[in-house]
Amino acid sequence: MRRFFYFLFWFGLIGLPAAGQSLRDTVHIREVQVLGRRRVEEAGLTVTRPDSLAMVSGMTTDLSQLISQYTPVFIKSYGRGSAATANFRGTAASHTQVVWNGMNLNSPMRGSADLSLLPVFFVDEAFLLHGGSSLTEGSGALGGSIHLGNKPDWTTRKAVAAVAERGSFNSGKYLGRWQLGGSRFKSVSRIYYEDSDNHFPFYNVGVIPYRHDTLENAGYYKAGILQEFYFRFSEEKISALRGWYQQSHRNLPQLMSYEGSDREEYQNDDHFRAQFELKNYGGPVQYQFFSGANFTRLHYFRQSPDLKFVNDDSNSRENSFSNRLKLQRKFSSKIMATASLDVNYHQVEVTSRVRETGYDASRLETGLLLNVQMKAGERLALFALSRAESYDSRLIPFIPAVGAEWQVFPALPLFLKTNLSRNYHKPSLNDLYWLPGGNPDLLPEDGISADWALTHESKTPGTWKQELSFFISKINNWIIWQPASNGAYYWEAANVKEVLSRGLEYRFSGKAAWQKWVFHFSGNYAYTRTTNQHAVSSVDQSRGRQLIYIPKHSGNLHLTAAFQRWSLQYDLGYTGRRYTQSSNEWTHFESVLNPFWLSTASLQKQWEFPALTVSAKVMADNLLGADYQRILWRPMPGRNYLFTLGFSWKK
Amino acid sequence: MKILRYLSFMLIVLVVACEEEPVEVVFADLGKRSGVFISCEGNFMYGNSSLSFYDKVNKKVYNQVFYARNRAPLGDVAQSLASDGKNLYVVVNNSGKIYVLDPVTLEYRGAVTGLVSPRYIHFVSAEKAYVSDLYARQITIFNPQNLQKTGVINVSDGSGNSSRHPTETFVQAGKWLFVSCWSYDNTVLVIDPEKDQVVDSVKVPKQPQKMVLDKNGKIWVLTDGSYKGAPGGYENPALVRIDPETRTVEQIFRWSQEARHSGDLDINSARDTLLVVAGDFYKMAVDDSRLPAAPFIAAGKRLFFSAGIDPQNGEIYLADAVDYAQNAMVYRFSPAGAVIDSFRVGISPGDYLFN
């Protein structure tokens, strides 16, 4: 009862009720966390789950904001509404795999996923697998993987939720979700639309003389619809059908130093994703099958409108088909085995109307996984897995990983986890075939990594939890684009670098009560040392230096104080110094991105009526007006405001 | 209390994570010294181009001199340098502007802005200068006295192909001005600078870029041949000799299949020897009938990116871009090829202006 009270409290505290994270869904997440139930299939794995509080708090944001605030993963973002990619443990954007209900969303063309195009509102749960832990779900995630999931709420027959948010720079977001159906069938529909003129003021120190400027050509809109159908044949057998269409139009602003003629530059993205899923949790052999398709269209356009001169007008079409059959068998209460077979096909067509160049390429990938988990004792669990993969005509027969989890003291929830793994990452199709500079002879990137993690939870569920993890990984044949080896003016892809990434991640969360107040606090910190170990010539000063744009230090702190139906939240984020030269020059002060702190404060009030909940929230972003750059010479907004109104109704 | 301790710990960790601010660069007036200004392109869309000065008497290099003097970044891709004796001009390609500086103090005097993708400057007279442009399909005319744009020369061939003609480097031969058209093009245009009009053109191998005028009054053009898979095909890089009188190609010297790509072309002060960066660094007399068989300076593991020839003494400045993401190394060679000095400048040094 007390737990239920806490659930209601937290839901009312921060949750935009309209966000409509279903009662059942939220309970599901909390059950795992509060009871501290150790999942045998997660033994030895380093997993981060943004808690239900974070999911609801970040409901109107995109995935890049959720990840950057609530996990130790660094997000490289080009600014509001612009592209954002994850640098998991100091690795490249393509080394983070983003998976939606088992289907990989990384672009086969570029290798990475743009997290700014994934609204948190469209997912019900998210978790991260760090480093080699990601091998349990797929290969290629040399840094780690981000998993997004949708789950129906079988306890509610009808529910409607809506959120409207208006903010500075003529920004707006509108979210809607409705659910229908009974105990055998559910339909869940979600829509979202957001747009912004994004014409924020900034002090331009990139020109002479300095001046007060307004960011131009930075407006954007994004819109999407997600339709889910669920069929429950029995308590243990469920199938799902999902379709997700999304489109966006993003203008691309110029650097602060630009004083040239007018430029019209934009990028349009269209995505359609569909998937069918069948799960059976009953019987001696549990199985999961899914088949999905992902179609992406990207249009990049740039012209000088005064001259009616089109610099670039390129289109890309990516068609991906994914299939997976996963079988799980419990041999006894102590041994479980998982086997999965993946067959994926990607086809990419790139054309540039102006250059009259492009390529058309396809790839067939297959993968086979065998994973054995064993409870070796009351306090010890082990796993060992091996993957075999093939793509194009290349076979990678052995991608192994082993891990263990040990409860250090019988009476204390203190766990020591470790794993050791080998991993591979395939070159993207651009790496192989882009004209000019694609290199069909590229080798896959080859990594070996190890993790050690110490997890501690309070005896009173939910009161306190912390985890400290150390990692080290070495990646050979790291692919970079560099000027052509024959001296040509264009750049080409090459297996050049050896990168050593090591560091630690710390995260904690907890709550406390005092009289009628309830406090919730959480945070994370990451120390990431990612260095290039390879130098071609003796004058190359990049050896042993931090990779560009990766901060050594980053962290977040979240504090919430709640009193009855009111809640006040404060978030503080820190991003350390980042270098933009491989030699880590920083005496030349335009080459380095200085550290910055960002703080956000919000106040929320909630009103409850029978079957109806209404909430209102005001938020000040960049509360202290920090002057900072995420990307060299790209301005960021100062203090700005958001007002959010939401309601939810359920029956 | 436990909670407070943990929160304090986290705050300490975050505070410790802050590091000191960078050090500023300080230098004296450089324009009075004997040396060379070097523009460093930086990386496209990073906005990290820079200007360096090398004092060849004291063998001392000063980097980031534009920023240090003017407290602002140079911009995105500093393409070229030019001087009319009164001002120093820095063409900042992807910032769409030309910075105009005091040649001694490097103090900002003004800018020509509103350009599309400026590349190189040619001074026609004290009141007229041309700016080539990669994308504008026109050459911009401005007055160096007041930095006002006074007109354009339309260079579009009217074919509907939006990439024609992307103008690049200039060479004056007698009355006529020749300008190469580089990206996806194969043309050298002939301009009448009195009428500001294109009057003729010369077809050359693919992608002509750098040009020089030799002692015989011939124009030499370095073409890079585009790339394999490019629309219109690829061909080996070439050195092309044009007779500006007849406006015809006299000779084409093709680099062999094995030769590395051509990058930069200069000529010595006597105008009798061509100096070519083509992977390695080559010397070739203008009267030679074939390309040099062996490099004058072998690159080894270095990535030779550009070269500058000191008109006073024929010394050679060769830039090794290293990995194109860090400060480059410039080697100073005697005319005989002996190393005199080496020093670091900014990222991807592309153009040299001797003082």
Side-chain angles (χ1 to χ4, degrees):
Chain A
M1 190 62 200
R2 186 177 169 188
R3 209 178 79 217
F4 185 63
F5 165 77
Y6 273 128
F7 160 72
L8 281 180
F9 187 82
W10 285 116
F11 186 74
L13 176 67
I14 295 298
L16 297 171
Q21 279 293 291
S22 65
L23 181 66
R24 183 61 186 165
D25 284 351
T26 311
V27 169
H28 174 77
I29 292 169
R30 291 186 59 80
E31 276 179 352
V32 173
Q33 294 178 344
V34 172
L35 298 178
R37 185 186 299 165
R38 313 301 298 178
R39 295 181 173 184
V40 177
E41 60 268 37
E42 288 186 1
L45 305 182
T46 308
V47 186
T48 298
R49 293 176 187 277
D51 60 22
S52 46
L53 182 64
M55 289 293 288
V56 177
S57 181
M59 188 61 64
T60 59
T61 66
D62 62 52
L63 192 64
S64 69
Q65 292 164 284
L66 180 80
I67 297 291
S68 68
Q69 288 184 9
Y70 291 96
T71 77
V73 176
F74 176 69
I75 299 293
K76 183 180 177 185
S77 166
Y78 281 76
R80 297 180 77 246
S82 300
T85 52
N87 293 109
F88 215 134
R89 292 182 165 180
T91 58
S94 61
H95 298 158
T96 299
Q97 302 293 314
V98 180
V99 180
W100 174 55
N101 295 310
M103 187 169 83
N104 196 309
L105 298 185
N106 284 48
S107 157
M109 179 178 74
R110 289 172 283 121
S112 59
D114 184 351
L115 303 184
S116 72
L117 296 177
L118 299 170
V120 173
F121 188 69
F122 274 19
V123 299
D124 298 315
E125 63 173 14
F127 67 94
L128 279 63
L129 291 170
H130 298 237
S133 302
S134 63
L135 276 170
T136 54
E137 295 293 330
S139 71
L142 299 178
S145 54
I146 300 169
H147 298 263
L148 313 172
N150 295 105
K151 288 191 171 179
D153 173 13
W154 292 105
T155 61
T156 304
R157 292 186 65 83
K158 294 176 184 173
V160 179
V163 181
E165 184 175 275
R166 295 295 303 175
S168 304
F169 324 127
N170 197 23
S171 304
K173 286 180 188 172
Y174 310 94
L175 316 170
R177 180 184 193 271
W178 58 97
Q179 176 178 305
L180 301 168
S183 60
R184 294 288 176 190
F185 169 77
K186 278 277 181 268
S187 166
V188 183
S189 310
R190 309 174 208 225
I191 57 169
Y192 96 107
Y193 176 85
E194 77 169 287
D195 65 1
S196 175
D197 289 345
N198 204 19
H199 50 6
F200 58 81
F202 66 100
Y203 191 56
N204 193 347
V205 295
V207 295
I208 303 173
Y210 297 167
R211 63 182 182 228
H212 290 280
D213 249 334
T214 301
L215 189 69
E216 293 179 351
N217 194 49
Y220 60 86
Y221 82 81
K222 303 171 187 175
I225 181 166
L226 172 62
Q227 177 62 52
E228 305 156 64
F229 296 112
Y230 296 93
F231 308 89
R232 188 155 70 170
F233 305 105
S234 67
E235 280 296 315
E236 295 161 336
K237 192 173 180 181
I238 298 171
S239 72
L241 198 59
R242 303 183 184 97
W244 179 351
Y245 176 71
Q246 182 166 314
Q247 69 170 216
S248 66
H249 170 86
R250 293 180 286 183
N251 290 318
L252 305 173
Q254 302 304 313
L255 299 178
M256 291 164 71
S257 57
Y258 186 74
E259 293 184 280
S261 64
D262 284 348
R263 277 185 185 174
E264 181 186 358
E265 189 171 7
Y266 63 81
Q267 176 178 324
N268 292 336
D269 292 84
D270 285 82
H271 302 272
F272 178 69
R273 300 160 182 137
Q275 57 184 210
F276 168 75
E277 187 179 25
L278 181 63
K279 285 181 179 177
N280 189 347
Y281 298 109
V285 179
Q286 300 177 5
Y287 64 83
Q288 178 195 3
F289 170 77
F290 90 80
S291 183
N294 187 4
F295 305 107
T296 299
R297 304 288 180 264
L298 189 153
H299 177 214
Y300 170 75
F301 182 82
R302 178 182 148 186
Q303 74 163 345
S304 303
D306 294 344
L307 301 168
K308 293 187 170 53
F309 175 77
V310 178
N311 301 72
D312 206 344
D313 184 4
S314 59
N315 287 279
S316 65
R317 303 159 62 91
E318 300 172 66
N319 301 326
S320 295
F321 302 92
S322 309
N323 303 277
R324 171 179 288 180
L325 177 62
K326 185 176 179 180
L327 304 172
Q328 272 188 334
R329 168 91 195 249
K330 259 191 176 175
F331 293 97
S332 70
S333 61
K334 292 186 175 179
I335 298 180
M336 188 170 84
T338 305
S340 73
L341 174 68
D342 292 82
V343 180
N344 305 322
Y345 177 77
H346 307 286
Q347 191 262 331
V348 171
E349 184 184 340
V350 180
T351 54
S352 170
R353 185 176 66 82
V354 173
R355 304 267 178 258
E356 297 175 342
T357 58
Y359 71 86
D360 188 345
S362 60
R363 169 183 283 172
L364 178 66
E365 305 169 345
T366 57
L368 185 64
L369 165 76
L370 186 60
N371 184 5
V372 178
Q373 295 112 4
M374 185 174 73
K375 210 170 176 183
E378 280 303 307
R379 291 156 47 204
L380 179 65
L382 307 167
F383 82 88
L385 69 81
S386 178
R387 278 188 171 276
E389 300 214 334
S390 73
Y391 72 94
D392 300 333
S393 56
R394 195 179 293 273
L395 175 68
I396 303 165
F398 187 50
I399 309 174
V402 292
E405 181 164 332
W406 177 49
Q407 186 173 357
V408 182
F409 306 106
L412 193 67
L414 180 69
F415 299 88
L416 182 63
K417 299 187 285 189
T418 183
N419 65 66
L420 176 68
S421 65
R422 191 179 183 192
N423 207 340
Y424 284 85
H425 177 255
K426 298 178 275 289
S428 71
L429 294 177
N430 270 0
D431 291 336
L432 295 169
Y433 305 115
W434 181 262
L435 278 176
N439 181 354
D441 299 323
L442 283 178
L443 299 169
E445 295 165 302
D446 178 1
I448 183 162
S449 67
D451 279 40
W452 300 267
L454 201 57
T455 302
H456 169 244
E457 294 179 50
S458 60
K459 287 183 178 176
T460 309
T463 305
W464 175 250
K465 184 179 181 181
Q466 60 182 338
E467 182 168 284
L468 177 66
S469 57
F470 300 88
F471 64 89
I472 183 166
S473 68
K474 174 91 181 291
I475 301 169
N476 294 321
N477 294 323
W478 182 291
I479 296 169
I480 62 167
W481 281 74
Q482 61 176 16
S485 59
N486 66 353
Y489 63 90
Y490 56 83
W491 291 45
E492 67 183 10
N495 294 106
V496 175
K497 287 187 176 176
E498 293 172 19
V499 172
L500 182 65
S501 176
R502 62 277 195 201
L504 67 88
E505 295 159 338
Y506 175 71
R507 54 185 182 271
F508 67 92
S509 64
K511 66 181 178 185
W514 178 70
Q515 294 184 350
K516 291 184 177 179
W517 290 82
V518 174
F519 302 93
H520 189 280
F521 45 89
S522 64
N524 57 71
Y525 166 78
Y527 172 77
T528 309
R529 185 90 173 101
T530 302
T531 54
N532 175 31
Q533 301 301 106
H534 178 71
V536 175
S537 67
S538 59
V539 297
D540 189 342
Q541 295 182 324
S542 67
R543 190 199 306 265
R545 304 295 170 88
Q546 183 84 351
L547 295 194
I548 64 171
Y549 276 108
I550 305 293
K552 285 183 189 170
H553 305 279
S554 61
N556 292 283
L557 196 60
H558 310 281
L559 303 170
T560 305
F563 179 78
Q564 295 180 342
R565 300 286 175 203
W566 289 88
S567 70
L568 181 67
Q569 182 168 343
Y570 178 73
D571 306 298
L572 179 65
Y574 174 77
T575 301
R577 170 173 294 123
R578 287 161 298 143
Y579 300 102
T580 62
Q581 290 195 23
S582 63
S583 53
N584 290 184
E585 295 286 339
W586 65 280
T587 53
H588 306 148
F589 36 93
E590 71 265 44
S591 300
V592 70
L593 290 166
N594 287 319
F596 62 88
W597 296 83
L598 281 182
S599 52
T600 301
S602 63
L603 179 67
Q604 178 166 312
K605 174 76 167 93
Q606 184 172 296
W607 297 269
E608 295 227 350
F609 307 98
L612 179 68
T613 308
V614 178
S615 75
K617 183 167 87 167
V618 289
M619 187 168 90
D621 191 30
N622 191 2
L623 183 67
L624 303 178
D627 186 10
Y628 69 105
Q629 292 175 17
R630 289 190 185 277
I631 302 290
L632 201 58
W633 296 115
R634 293 195 178 274
M636 296 299 292
R639 186 185 305 112
N640 60 94
Y641 304 94
L642 291 167
F643 176 70
T644 310
L645 197 61
F647 85 91
S648 73
W649 171 88
K650 64 173 64 178
K651 184 179 176 184
Chain B
M1 284 309 292
K2 268 186 175 179
I3 292 161
L4 286 175
R5 279 207 302 274
Y6 280 116
L7 293 179
S8 303
F9 167 76
M10 280 308 296
L11 280 172
I12 289 167
V13 166
L14 292 173
V15 168
V16 167
C18 295
E19 295 174 33
E20 59 191 294
E21 290 296 306
V23 179
E24 294 184 9
V25 179
V26 178
F27 64 94
D29 292 347
L30 301 172
K32 293 177 181 173
R33 303 188 192 186
S34 179
V36 56
F37 287 105
I38 303 173
S39 61
C40 304
E41 293 179 10
N43 303 109
F44 181 66
M45 293 306 287
Y46 274 53
N48 60 352
S49 66
S50 64
L51 184 64
S52 296
F53 181 81
Y54 174 68
D55 180 336
K56 65 184 185 185
V57 176
N58 298 306
K59 293 185 177 178
K60 188 167 182 183
V61 67
Y62 301 85
N63 289 324
Q64 305 287 346
V65 292
F66 179 87
Y67 202 124
R69 174 61 72 200
N70 298 295
R71 314 295 298 172
L74 187 54
D76 196 27
V77 187
Q79 180 67 35
S80 64
L81 296 169
S83 172
D84 61 358
K86 295 179 182 175
N87 293 312
L88 174 65
Y89 298 78
V90 187
V91 182
V92 193
N93 169 252
N94 201 40
S95 292
K97 63 187 172 187
I98 299 169
Y99 270 136
V100 184
L101 311 177
D102 183 301
V104 175
T105 65
L106 304 184
E107 190 175 352
Y108 169 83
R109 282 184 171 169
V112 181
T113 59
L115 302 170
V116 179
S117 185
R119 303 285 284 182
Y120 293 87
I121 299 177
H122 176 79
F123 295 100
V124 177
S125 67
E127 288 80 31
K128 186 161 78 174
Y130 291 162
V131 184
S132 61
D133 200 294
L134 187 60
Y135 295 129
R137 290 182 295 182
Q138 62 188 25
I139 290 169
T140 301
I141 308 168
F142 75 95
N143 184 345
Q145 303 294 328
N146 57 18
L147 307 183
Q148 295 298 306
K149 287 184 278 188
T150 56
V152 296
I153 302 173
N154 182 13
V155 298
S156 173
D157 70 349
S159 68
N161 185 332
S162 61
S163 61
R164 296 175 75 90
H165 292 291
T167 51
E168 189 76 1
T169 56
F170 298 96
V171 160
Q172 180 102 32
K175 177 188 172 184
W176 310 105
L177 182 66
F178 291 74
V179 57
S180 58
C181 300
W182 173 54
S183 180
Y184 296 95
D185 211 318
N186 62 342
T187 311
V188 173
L189 298 176
V190 186
I191 291 171
D192 180 348
E194 291 177 359
K195 296 180 179 173
D196 300 328
Q197 285 181 344
V198 175
V199 294
D200 203 354
S201 65
V202 183
K203 291 293 175 199
V204 294
K206 293 183 191 307
Q207 299 210 149
Q209 194 170 25
K210 294 288 180 69
M211 299 195 297
V212 292
L213 187 72
D214 73 10
K215 64 176 184 178
N216 303 316
K218 308 291 186 184
I219 294 172
W220 290 84
V221 186
L222 185 66
T223 66
D224 65 34
S226 195
Y227 57 87
K228 287 175 182 169
Y234 161 81
E235 56 192 25
N236 287 353
L239 259 177
V240 182
R241 192 174 69 222
I242 295 175
D243 179 0
E245 293 294 324
T246 60
R247 296 171 189 166
T248 56
V249 172
E250 286 188 337
Q251 184 100 41
I252 297 174
F253 299 91
R254 292 274 184 191
W255 296 89
S256 68
Q257 198 74 28
E258 295 76 26
R260 294 209 275 178
H261 212 282
S262 304
D264 201 359
L265 171 67
D266 290 282
I267 195 164
N268 64 351
S269 55
R271 298 195 173 275
D272 60 4
T273 305
L274 300 172
L275 302 138
V276 187
V277 175
D280 296 312
F281 181 72
Y282 295 87
K283 258 185 170 182
M284 176 183 166
V286 296
D287 297 324
D288 280 355
S289 57
R290 64 177 62 182
L291 290 170
F296 181 63
I297 300 170
K301 289 185 175 178
R302 295 174 292 197
L303 282 165
F304 284 164
F305 182 70
S306 63
I309 310 303
D310 189 336
Q312 278 189 335
N313 54 23
E315 287 178 349
I316 302 158
Y317 291 76
L318 258 177
D320 171 10
V322 192
D323 63 356
Y324 294 78
Q326 63 181 283
N327 285 347
M329 182 69 85
V330 174
Y331 297 90
R332 177 185 174 191
F333 294 94
S334 71
V339 176
I340 298 171
D341 194 13
S342 63
F343 53 91
R344 284 199 182 264
V345 294
I347 296 172
S348 300
D351 204 13
Y352 303 77
L353 184 70
F354 289 87
N355 210 19

